[in-house]
Amino acid sequence: MKSLLITRTQKVAGLLIGLLVFLAGIVCSVVFGVADISWHTIVQSYMHFDGSQDQLIIRTTRMPRALIAALAGASLAVAGTLMQGITRNQLASPSLFGINAGAAFFIVAGTAFFDAGSLSAYATLAFAGAAFTALLVYLLGSIGSDGLTPLKVTLAGAAMTAFFSSISLGILLTGGQTFDQVLYWFVGSVAGRDMGIFNSAAPYMGVGLIGAWVLARHMNLLGLGEDVATGLGQKTMIIKLAAGISIVLLAGGSVSIAGPIAFVGIIIPHVTRYLVGIDYRWVIPYCAILGGILLLGADIGSRFIAFPKEVPVGVMTAIIGVPFFVYIARKGVRA
Amino acid sequence: MNDWLIFRGRKHSFQINRRTLIVVLLLIAANLAAMIICTGLGSLNISPIEVIRTLFGTGDASNHMIIFSLRLPRVVIAIMVGAALAVSGALLQGIVRNPLTSPDVIGISGGASLGTIVFILYFSELSIRFMPLWSIGGAFAAAILVYLFAYRGGITPLRLVLIGIGMATALTAVTYMLILTASFTPTAVAVKAFTFMTGSIYGVSWKRDVLTLLPWFSILLPVSIIYARHLNVQELGDEVATSVGSSLQAKRTILLFVSVALAGSAVAIGGAINFIGLMAPHIARKLVGPAYGGVIPVSALIGSLILLLSDLVARIAFLPLDIPAGVFTAAIGAPFFIYLLYRHRRS
């Protein structure tokens, strides 16, 4: 496959430009909104905090929101690329394979039935849900002699998504008061969260991101096919398991801070492969940065599309994602 | 003993498979029994005998009110919606020749939901009679989009299903967006809209819901039974179907139209109830074999039975709460789907 950036210099340059756009995205996310805030105030609020309203908005609302969008976007994209690698299915992603819906269901059920309200409980529930669903969909998709076919695993994922979303909605609808608040989260939103939520999940997601990067070399081997990888002395089961743990940390963490956001995990890995090819040592960092940029951009856009009301960012990614999805599905999926 | 019962009239004759006839009769009996039980059970329990007496006009007045104005419309709606979704799924599976498709999996129900939500949020001053038109319009728009996107010198089941799933996700997101950003949504409207999206037949009435759905149902269902035999030919594959003289594309278009319209009108009243369109045809084929002449009516009866029972559980399992019936069709549908994946592992 031909990629856009070929030489090492080009790839490094691309990565640096991406990193700049990423940082600019965070700044823009803090600056733009219902109350426009100057760039100077941002610096002031961290250097000389004086408790004024603008500075408070930055520290308690805008900055957590920007960081959550950046981290969730990066994590979903990397989780998507790992999933596409180990299932050898170009449509694999946390949302399509039901992992997001499963993690969300565990949070909704845990909150409703076991009164699990603390931030750490949210994260734990999300990880448990993500792990459970990932395993379930993987097993379901690989039932039978023809193994893990794209059609079977995709249908299994869609069925699990329908199952978990229906039951989550059922619980929410009968739950009462907090409906409005939970609803935004349920569609995927990064608004109205504080630093505590970010801090509760960020360490795990950081481990997931680093783990993915460490795995990159092994993922390259796995990409040559299971037989070749085994022949070259790779313990494919261990690599898949390690990748699975990374996926669970990344997708589960994203759901716990931002809700089940669709399509980021599909779009970004494809864009990345187009840019830098199939070497995971480049793919993983590019995915992280581009995923962050996409979600930051979608979140900034979501503030203006129905101004002054905000659209949940999950809706924005869905709208952006469909043309991509159609393109990929039409191009043909390896059977 | 002959497998077929043959009826001869002066001009026409037709034959019915003995086994199909028995299954249909048994299912009708099961539906009637479920109707009576569903009508009786609730926050106030009425015995089956009392229900039957009331239905024939000899019960007491308070039961009469509960049964006729509250419970019975709901039961009738469950029957029509369940049957419509099941038949829509059966037709779709025949047309696409993929046993794992259904209107909810490939985005048709999602389109219908979107159309209905637009109606509820922005055009609710119009008569409710227009609601099925909006739902069916949404269903068609979604079906056409999925078809166009999946068309690339022909349609393959894999591409259709994948694109359908993508569209379903996107349509759901857009529907959420409309609900959340509508300029006037108080929580009550949002709750109503979301209940609708999960699929619920709560609070239906004769005048509003039953009379709205009935015309669609009573036209589309017979048409699908009459056209069912064309599906048998189509199942053989495009080449065979064309060579035995079936006008393939025209019939396929009609069948697709009927399937989408059935799903659309069902969603208009019952919301996006998942999995019935997937399950019912499979159970039907298990009972009466693959010939569509039998599969369509048997699917319809099984679909209504599933929704009757799901709605019963949804109503009484968590009294006094009324859970959307779609939650329970999902709860039984997902394991069923797994079973289907497992069973089709050899094909």
Side-chain angles (χ1 to χ4, degrees):
Chain A
M1 191 162 74
K2 267 180 82 174
S3 59
L4 203 62
L5 308 173
I6 298 154
T7 65
R8 197 185 159 79
T9 331
Q10 284 173 339
K11 287 176 181 174
V12 173
L15 204 59
L16 288 175
I17 294 169
L19 205 57
L20 285 176
V21 177
F22 181 81
L23 293 173
I26 292 183
V27 173
C28 288
S29 176
V30 176
V31 170
F32 296 124
V34 177
D36 270 337
I37 285 167
S38 80
W39 156 237
H40 179 70
T41 323
I42 302 176
V43 182
Q44 286 294 312
S45 70
Y46 282 90
M47 305 302 283
H48 307 285
F49 183 64
D50 61 8
S52 73
Q53 196 185 353
D54 277 1
Q55 294 195 357
L56 267 175
I57 290 178
I58 290 172
R59 288 177 65 135
T60 59
T61 313
R62 292 284 177 84
M63 193 51 96
R65 178 172 184 166
L67 292 178
I68 284 171
L71 184 62
S75 299
L76 287 170
V78 172
T81 199
L82 289 179
M83 286 176 74
Q84 293 178 13
I86 59 174
T87 61
R88 300 172 71 76
N89 177 349
Q90 305 205 352
L91 290 173
S93 72
S95 54
L96 203 63
F97 281 15
I99 294 178
N100 283 352
F105 165 71
F106 268 55
I107 294 182
V108 170
T111 317
F113 298 130
F114 304 106
D115 220 13
S118 76
L119 295 178
S120 61
Y122 258 46
T124 316
L125 284 167
F127 293 136
F132 176 75
T133 322
L135 206 62
L136 197 63
V137 171
Y138 190 83
L139 287 177
L140 288 177
S142 40
I143 288 171
S145 53
D146 50 350
L148 197 73
T149 68
L151 185 59
K152 271 199 308 189
V153 75
T154 311
L155 283 168
M160 287 302 118
T161 304
F163 177 63
F164 285 126
S165 329
S166 291
I167 297 188
S168 304
L169 267 179
I171 295 172
L172 286 180
L173 286 168
T174 50
Q177 319 87 341
T178 53
F179 185 74
D180 252 4
Q181 202 190 341
V182 187
L183 206 52
Y184 260 82
W185 172 82
F186 193 70
V187 190
S189 167
V190 292
R193 268 138 251 255
D194 58 27
M195 264 336 254
I197 294 174
F198 178 81
N199 292 337
S200 69
Y204 300 102
M205 293 159 83
V207 170
L209 287 172
I210 294 166
W213 197 60
V214 173
L215 280 172
R217 203 167 48 84
H218 304 284
M219 292 295 293
N220 283 341
L221 272 182
L222 204 59
L224 298 173
E226 199 122 342
D227 297 340
V228 181
T230 315
L232 289 170
Q234 193 189 42
K235 294 191 171 52
T236 51
M237 259 338 277
I238 293 180
I239 299 305
K240 282 187 177 177
L241 190 67
I245 293 170
S246 286
I247 292 166
V248 165
L249 289 175
L250 294 168
S254 302
V255 173
S256 79
I257 59 176
I261 292 177
F263 290 109
V264 178
I266 288 188
I267 303 174
I268 296 298
H270 284 268
V271 176
T272 308
R273 277 196 292 272
Y274 172 72
L275 283 176
V276 294
I278 54 170
D279 184 346
Y280 278 92
R281 284 171 299 179
W282 290 105
V283 167
I284 301 280
Y286 265 86
C287 266
I289 287 176
L290 293 177
I293 294 173
L294 175 68
L295 208 53
L296 281 165
D299 180 43
I300 296 169
S302 75
R303 298 172 204 175
F304 296 103
I305 193 169
F307 195 83
K309 279 217 168 191
E310 286 193 6
V311 177
V313 69
V315 170
M316 291 294 290
T317 61
I319 295 168
I320 305 169
V322 172
F324 249 92
F325 188 86
V326 168
Y327 170 71
I328 297 160
R330 280 176 67 90
K331 212 175 58 176
V333 179
R334 275 177 300 178
Chain B
M1 193 166 78
N2 197 338
D3 274 351
W4 298 89
L5 298 170
I6 298 168
F7 298 85
R8 286 186 215 284
R10 203 166 295 158
K11 277 188 181 160
H12 302 282
S13 71
F14 63 98
Q15 53 181 17
I16 293 177
N17 185 299
R18 196 183 291 271
R19 182 181 167 137
T20 306
L21 191 64
I22 293 170
V23 169
V24 166
L25 291 176
L26 283 176
L27 279 170
I28 290 175
N31 267 295
L32 286 173
M35 268 179 79
I36 290 166
I37 292 169
C38 292
T39 313
L41 294 181
S43 48
L44 182 89
N45 289 326
I46 304 169
S47 77
I49 294 165
E50 190 61 29
V51 171
I52 295 171
R53 280 180 53 193
T54 312
L55 289 178
F56 285 105
T58 54
D60 68 79
S62 67
N63 283 347
H64 190 276
M65 207 281 282
I66 293 175
I67 288 175
F68 273 94
S69 59
L70 296 175
R71 304 241 175 105
L72 210 52
R74 188 163 178 165
V75 165
V76 172
I77 284 288
I79 288 173
M80 287 200 283
V81 168
L85 288 172
V87 171
S88 172
L91 294 176
L92 208 59
Q93 288 174 10
I95 299 163
V96 183
R97 267 183 277 140
N98 183 326
L100 296 170
T101 44
S102 70
D104 42 303
V105 169
I106 68 165
I108 294 175
S109 297
S113 291
L114 181 55
T116 317
I117 293 288
V118 169
F119 179 84
I120 291 176
L121 292 178
Y122 297 104
F123 298 95
S124 52
E125 73 275 12
L126 294 176
S127 157
I128 183 116
R129 299 275 177 280
F130 291 106
M131 201 153 96
L133 284 180
W134 280 82
S135 313
I136 292 172
F140 270 105
I144 290 168
L145 273 181
V146 170
Y147 191 87
L148 285 180
F149 286 150
Y151 192 89
R152 196 183 170 201
I155 295 281
T156 68
L158 173 65
R159 223 166 30 229
L160 192 73
V161 169
L162 289 178
I163 295 211
I165 289 173
M167 284 295 289
T169 312
L171 288 168
T172 310
V174 172
T175 313
Y176 282 138
M177 178 185 85
L178 287 182
I179 297 171
L180 291 172
T181 57
S183 51
F184 45 84
T185 36
T187 311
V189 178
V191 170
K192 190 177 153 212
F194 276 93
T195 309
F196 170 81
M197 284 189 71
T198 320
S200 169
I201 47 177
Y202 167 77
V204 292
S205 74
W206 290 113
K207 223 168 115 76
R208 204 184 61 219
D209 303 291
V210 177
L211 286 183
T212 305
L213 184 54
L214 195 62
W216 297 95
F217 184 75
S218 49
I219 293 169
L220 292 170
L221 195 71
V223 170
S224 56
I225 292 175
I226 292 165
Y227 265 85
R229 62 197 171 87
H230 299 295
L231 279 175
N232 296 327
V233 184
Q234 299 214 351
E235 288 259 294
L236 300 172
D238 289 7
E239 282 116 50
V240 180
T242 317
S243 64
V244 298
S246 175
S247 54
L248 190 71
Q249 289 304 336
K251 303 240 167 70
R252 186 175 286 170
T253 311
I254 293 173
L255 286 164
L256 202 58
F257 180 90
V258 173
S259 169
V260 173
L262 272 171
S265 56
V267 169
I269 303 299
I273 294 174
N274 281 322
F275 288 109
I276 288 183
L278 185 81
M279 285 189 284
H282 283 277
I283 301 173
R285 273 192 287 267
K286 196 95 184 159
L287 291 175
V288 298
Y292 277 89
V295 166
I296 299 287
V298 173
S299 295
L301 290 165
I302 290 171
S304 52
L305 194 59
I306 293 174
L307 192 52
L308 273 174
L309 297 178
S310 298
D311 188 50
L312 178 68
V313 176
R315 266 193 311 132
I316 65 172
F318 297 95
L319 273 174
L321 293 175
D322 206 323
I323 315 246
V327 172
F328 290 91
T329 61
I332 47 174
F336 186 85
F337 187 82
I338 292 161
Y339 161 75
L340 285 184
L341 280 176
Y342 179 72
R343 212 177 53 127
H344 284 277
R345 70 195 190 279
R346 265 161 275 136
S347 59

